[in-house]
């Protein structure tokens, strides 16, 4: 198959070259798109959304009409981001797709009605169906399954009121043939898992609150009769991602109960992501780890830190060549992880593509941290040599202190070691990893031990928002960006870059609210305090940058570096900025406005700052982002201009998500929210507007009503917290 694809690609390249180089072609004024070969036109049409393809392009001429209905364009169809498509339009599309489509995704189409979902039954040849986030009841699902006899893969939400007993015999029969299932659990339930005897891939997302909106505790008792217990005899991949809460953990253990009796023989992917510092223990974890290591075909592994010890990890990795590994917040496993990856503990470390080491050397406060608790440049250099094909690397919540720590003096900078990961597409770093060191005065102060009297009177650091006071002692010396420059020179293909300062905790956390208890105070790491505008300016050396996250960086004073990187990174599509500079005032407003004016390709903006002033000037600058689709503003003491907000929504006609959690009264927020919905909902079917006071007591219930597809959009670091990329992401 790959040979055929390469042959077609080479042939198209040759035709394009001939078309460009042929003098007769260049001199002819009558040459148009219709003169291109069908192969080249199909390659072009493949980049056009299916709605435009069938409803617009197909009407241009007979040739394009024929090509637009080619099976290569209509076999795999996604309507997930067709935000302007209303129910009537989607029904027309489904009618035209009926005889062609095999893989259909409506993931996140929360705005479509339940009756529209039933039109999917027209597409009887569908083998892969994703309706996650759509309005699917048990009865509606039953009717769909009864019509889709060839279905092999299903993804949907298990909502309150779901009852598997309402499934028809034809639906149950269709489920028995499924090989892949993904369930978003919004209520305690096994969903349709007990009906799926041939499952090879099971992906679960648990998002059940411990308490209902009415304040009633959620009960997690399930029927555990023989017919309701999941069976995983053929299972090869198991993935579970949990939102915070005891109910989610309890339900997960019920799903895993069968593993305690019998571990599937062909299991090669086992990913479990549980937020919080103390996940509930699972006694069967060591036996699962041992089983994963026996066959030698382990692909991916992630377990909570309380589930795995060094011996079990060694057994799981030995003799395997994993592609995805995550050891987030597992400091006890740190030595074994590197021993396995560096000392032939795995069969082929070069197969590793995704590695999450977030918080693997976490110690509560930097003043208690010793050299052994830091990343070592030499070790990371060896890792780059062994795992040369890593594309996704997460080092969030770790520390690296260059030059100032005994044993590290004279060594290569960590960034120089990271630059050896030549294939990196996504990188998450702690802010201190970019520091080139502290000046002499500050170093001496750090090494001077205070008297016992002052130690006894010292205040306990308070977790939360603290004021940053810039001083000369925290400045860096020499060329403060030389380390970062080395990193960027080596990692030329970076598309996603996240830089997180220690002590940062979002006001609106999604999957990691429990980390607040272990977050160290802001500004406590002196190396991180030196990361500022000069470092941001150096990021201009990333021409492929698409997604940028900067959070918890007190050293950013005026934001001039933002402007410089925005001028060069012209293809930036997602920008997340949180708690930059002082938290008592917003010093980089002018630079932010200039930055937004440069971001002409921006599609998503998330901005979190305690004193944000979303006035007319702000929204005028934001209006320059003509392709903007989603915007989220979070500001504890922020203000906004209702009239300017409405003008912005009018100018940026692609915006379908406008979420503002700021200051102001409840009446003001609700008035603006209603005005925006009343004015723009008709022309934007997917429009989601949530404007609410950040400190209001009812905010948690308001957030709970936001579609999960959009709620994940306003959460920082989503691409790294849970599942590795390209492995059936939830």
């Amino acid at each position: 198959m790959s040979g055929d694809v390469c042959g077609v690609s080479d042939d198209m390249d040759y035709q394009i070259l001939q078309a460009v180089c042929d003098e007769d072609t260049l001199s002819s004024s009558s040459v148009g798109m219709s003169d291109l070969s069908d192969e080249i036109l199909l390659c072009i049409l493949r980049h056009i959304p299916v709605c435009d393809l069938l409803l617009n392009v197909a009407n241009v001429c007979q040739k394009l009409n024929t090509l637009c209905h080619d099976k290569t364009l209509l076999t795999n169809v996604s309507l997930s981001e067709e935000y302007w498509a209303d129910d009537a339009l989607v029904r027309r599309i489904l009618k035209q797709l009926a005889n062609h489509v095999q893989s259909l995704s409506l993931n996140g189409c929360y705005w479509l009605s339940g009756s529209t979902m039933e039109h999917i039954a027209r597409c009887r040849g569908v083998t892969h169906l994703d309706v996650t986030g759509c309005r699917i009841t048990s009865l509606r699902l039953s009717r769909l399954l009864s019509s889709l006899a060839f279905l092999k893969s299903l993804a949907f939400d298990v909502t309150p009121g779901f009852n598997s007993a309402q499934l028809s015999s034809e639906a149950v029969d269709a489920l028995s043939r499924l090989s892949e299932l993904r369930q978003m659990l919004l209520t305690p339930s096994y969903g349709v898992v007990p009906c799926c005897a041939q499952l090879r891939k099971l992906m679960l997302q648990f998002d059940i609150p411990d308490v209902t909106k009415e304040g009633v505790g959620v009960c997690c008792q399930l029927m555990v009769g023989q017919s309701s217990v999941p069976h995983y005899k053929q299972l090869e991949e198991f993935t579970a991602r949990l939102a915070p809460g005891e109910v989610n953990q309890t339900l997960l253990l019920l799903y895993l109960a069968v593993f305690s009796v019998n571990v599937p023989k062909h299991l090669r992917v086992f990913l479990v992501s549980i937020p919080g510092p103390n996940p509930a223990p699972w006694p069967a974890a060591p036996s699962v780890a041992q089983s994963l290591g026996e066959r030698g075909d382990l692909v991916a592994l992630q377990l909570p830190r309380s589930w795995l010890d060094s011996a079990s990890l060694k057994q799981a990795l030995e003799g395997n060549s994993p592609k995805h590994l995550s050891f987030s917040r597992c400091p006890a496993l740190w030595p074994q992880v590197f021993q396995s990856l560096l000392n032939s503990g795995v069969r082929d470390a070069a197969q590793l593509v995704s590695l999450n080491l977030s918080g693997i050397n976490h110690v509560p406060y930097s003043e208690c941290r010793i050299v052994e608790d830091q990343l070592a440049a030499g070790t990371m250099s060896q890792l780059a040599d062994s795992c040369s094909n890593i594309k996704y690397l997460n080092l969030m919540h770790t520390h690296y202190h260059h030059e100032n720590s005994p044993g590290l003096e004279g060594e290569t900078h960590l960034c120089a070691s990271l630059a050896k990961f030549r294939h990196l597409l996504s990188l998450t770093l702690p802010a201190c990893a970019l520091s080139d060191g502290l000046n002499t005065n500050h170093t001496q102060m750090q090494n001077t031990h205070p008297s016992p009297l002052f130690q006894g009177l010292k205040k306990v650091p308070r977790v939360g928002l603290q004021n940053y006071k810039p001083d000369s002692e925290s400045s860096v010396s020499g060329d403060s960006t030389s380390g970062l420059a080395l990193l960027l020179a080596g990692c030329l293909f970076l598309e996603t870059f996240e830089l997180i300062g220690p002590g940062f905790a979002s006001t609106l956390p999604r999957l990691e609210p429990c980390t607040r208890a272990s977050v160290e105070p802001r500004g406590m790491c002196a190396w991180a305090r030196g990361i500022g505008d000069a470092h941001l300016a150096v990021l201009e050396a990333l021409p492929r940058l698409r997604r940028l996250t900067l959070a918890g960086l007190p050293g950013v004073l005026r934001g001039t570096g933002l402007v410089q990187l925005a001028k060069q990174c012209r293809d930036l599509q997602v920008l997340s900025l949180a708690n930059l500079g002082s938290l008592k005032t917003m010093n980089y407003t002018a630079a932010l406005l200039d930055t937004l004016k440069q971001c002409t390709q921006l599609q998503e903006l998330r901005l979190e700052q305690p004193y944000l002033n979303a006035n007319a000037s702000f929204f005028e600058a934001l209006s320059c982002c003509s392709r903007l689709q989603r915007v989220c503003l979070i500001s504890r003491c922020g203000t906004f201009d209702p009239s300017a907000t409405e003008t912005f929504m009018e100018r940026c006609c692609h915006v379908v998500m406008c979420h503002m959690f700021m200051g102001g009264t409840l009446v003001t927020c609700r008035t603006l929210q209603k005005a925006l919905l009343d004015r723009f909902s008709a022309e934007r079917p997917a429009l989601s507007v949530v404007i609410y006071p950040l400190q209001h007591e009812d905010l948690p219930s308001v957030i709970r009503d936001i579609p999960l597809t959009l709620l994940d959009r306003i959460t920082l670091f989503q691409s790294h917290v849970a599942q590795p990329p390209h492995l059936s992401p939830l």
Side-chain angles (χ1 to χ4, degrees), residues 412-519:
T412 303
H413 196 287
L414 175 66
C415 287
S417 300
L418 295 176
K420 297 171 70 175
F421 291 100
R422 301 292 184 180
H423 302 288
L424 274 183
L425 299 178
S426 176
L427 177 62
T428 300
L429 288 178
C432 56
L434 305 187
S435 174
D436 287 349
L438 306 179
N439 63 26
T440 305
N441 293 334
H442 188 68
T443 302
Q444 292 176 350
M445 185 191 74
Q446 289 283 325
N447 294 333
T448 303
H449 297 283
S451 67
L453 175 62
F454 283 107
Q455 285 184 338
L457 296 177
K458 185 177 180 180
K459 291 184 178 180
V460 177
R462 183 170 66 91
V463 176
L465 298 179
Q466 295 191 357
N467 299 333
Y468 167 65
K469 299 179 180 180
D471 56 83
S472 60
E473 294 178 341
S474 64
S475 63
V476 295
S477 59
D479 183 8
S480 63
T481 63
S482 59
L484 177 58
L486 291 173
L487 169 64
L488 302 184
C491 302
L492 298 176
F493 302 103
L494 272 180
E495 297 177 357
T496 299
F497 185 67
E498 296 181 336
L499 187 63
I500 318 299
F504 173 75
S506 174
T507 308
L508 280 181
R510 168 87 175 96
L511 295 178
E512 299 286 321
C514 303
T515 57
R516 289 177 175 272
S518 58
V519 166

Side-chain angles (χ1 to χ4, degrees), residues 170-286:
E170 293 85 358
V172 173
D173 188 48
L175 289 170
S176 68
R177 296 189 295 268
L178 285 185
S179 59
E180 299 180 12
L181 175 65
R182 184 164 75 238
Q183 289 187 159
M184 170 80 77
L185 295 158
L186 305 176
T187 188
S189 172
Y190 283 130
V192 299
V193 172
C195 304
C196 306
Q198 303 297 322
L199 279 185
R200 297 185 182 276
K201 295 174 63 175
L202 176 59
M203 293 152 282
L204 304 170
Q205 183 166 347
F206 300 80
D207 210 299
I208 309 165
D210 287 340
V211 181
T212 65
K213 293 181 180 180
E214 295 75 22
V216 180
V218 176
C219 179
C220 201
Q221 292 182 351
L222 299 176
M223 295 296 294
V224 291
Q226 187 64 36
S227 62
S228 298
V229 176
H231 41 84
Y232 310 125
K233 292 182 180 180
Q234 308 296 325
L235 201 63
E236 298 177 6
E237 301 183 15
F238 180 88
T239 302
R241 172 183 169 195
L242 278 67
E246 294 183 5
V247 171
N248 292 317
Q249 295 194 40
T250 302
L251 184 58
L252 171 64
L253 295 181
L254 288 174
Y255 270 87
L256 293 175
V258 179
F259 284 89
S260 303
V261 179
N262 183 29
V263 179
K265 294 181 179 180
H266 303 286
L267 192 66
R268 56 194 181 93
V269 172
F270 197 80
L271 299 167
V272 176
S273 174
I274 302 179
N278 299 305
W282 185 44

Side-chain angles (χ1 to χ4, degrees), residues 55-86:
L55 302 180
N56 297 321
V57 181
N59 297 326
V60 173
C61 64
Q62 183 59 43
K63 181 175 182 178
L64 285 179
N65 183 280
T66 302
L67 291 176
C68 286
H69 288 86
D70 188 90
K71 64 179 182 179
T72 61
L73 299 180
L74 304 182
T75 300
N76 302 303
V77 173
S78 174
L79 300 176
S80 294
E81 295 195 3
E82 300 284 357
Y83 297 118
W84 54 274
D86 57 14

Side-chain angles (χ1 to χ4, degrees), residues 4 65 86 101 155 198 244 364 505 546 628 722:
D4 296 339
N65 183 280
D86 57 14
V101 65
Q198 303 297 322
R546 302 291 185 272
L628 196 66

Side-chain angles (χ1 to χ4, degrees), residues 10-20 36-40:
D10 293 341
D11 185 57
M12 279 192 281
D13 290 342
Y14 175 75
Q15 293 184 50
I16 294 173
L17 183 63
Q18 286 293 103
V20 172
L36 298 176
S37 68
D38 290 353
E39 289 82 3
I40 294 178

Side-chain angles (χ1 to χ4, degrees), residues 584-637:
K584 198 170 184 179
T585 184
M586 188 165 173
N587 295 326
Y588 68 101
T589 299
L592 174 63
L593 301 188
D594 289 340
T595 299
L596 293 176
K597 294 175 183 178
Q598 302 292 331
C599 296
T600 56
Q601 303 300 311
L602 197 67
Q603 297 179 13
E604 183 174 325
L605 173 68
R606 184 192 190 279
L607 184 57
E608 180 172 354
Q609 200 74 26
Y611 288 89
L612 172 66
N613 183 11
N615 54 18
S617 299
F618 171 81
F619 281 112
E620 182 178 356
L622 192 58
S623 298
C624 296
C625 307
S626 57
R627 298 192 177 188
L628 196 66
Q629 295 180 354
R630 294 169 290 272
V631 58
C632 179
L633 307 179
I634 304 170
S635 184
R636 176 170 49 92
C637 302

